[in-house]
């Protein structure tokens, strides 16, 4: 059974970087946990977190709720950015 915290991390509406998390984990699994083999994946994950954290802080400053846009809305945000 998954903990509440683990469920939140798997929830696409809460965690915008589920795909990056999964890709990083898979890379680590495939490469016997040699971090240097997965640098690109770590970077993509870090950039994802940084990007959505910025969006979240902006929404917070502007009083927009929820602070993290739901998955559907995030898709539209990414589409408008190309």
């Amino acid at each position: 059974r998954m903990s509440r915290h683990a469920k939140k991390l798997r929830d696409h509406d809460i965690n915008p970087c589920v795909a990056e998390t999964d890709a990083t984990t898979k890379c680590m699994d495939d490469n016997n946990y040699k971090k240097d083999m997965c640098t690109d994946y770590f970077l993509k994950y870090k950039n994802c977190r940084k990007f959505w954290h910025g969006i979240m802080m902006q929404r917070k400053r502007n009083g927009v709720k929820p602070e993290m846009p739901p998955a559907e809305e995030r898709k539209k945000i990414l589409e408008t950015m190309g």
Side-chain angles (χ1 to χ4, degrees):
R1 195 172 164 267
M2 258 200 283
S3 71
R4 230 172 28 261
H5 180 70
K7 272 193 188 119
K8 279 173 87 169
L9 291 177
R10 302 296 317 150
D11 184 335
H12 287 270
D13 281 327
I14 295 170
N15 179 3
C17 302
V18 173
E20 289 77 3
T21 304
D22 291 348
T24 304
T25 304
K26 184 181 181 330
C27 180
M28 290 292 281
D29 289 345
D30 292 350
N31 290 288
N32 209 20
Y33 293 85
K34 292 190 183 100
K35 270 188 165 176
D36 56 330
M37 301 289 284
C38 302
T39 309
D40 288 349
Y41 292 96
F42 284 112
L43 198 60
K44 282 179 187 157
Y45 173 77
K46 192 175 159 190
N47 288 337
C48 178
R49 297 293 307 167
K50 199 165 142 187
F51 175 79
W52 288 112
H53 181 75
I55 298 274
M56 205 169 84
M57 295 316 288
Q58 189 64 53
R59 286 169 67 103
K60 193 175 193 167
R61 277 192 295 274
N62 296 339
V64 179
K65 296 276 183 200
E67 286 157 11
M68 177 55 73
E72 264 314 299
E73 197 178 326
R74 286 198 309 268
K75 209 157 71 179
K76 289 181 183 125
I77 291 170
L78 290 174
E79 283 166 6
T80 60
M81 298 181 79

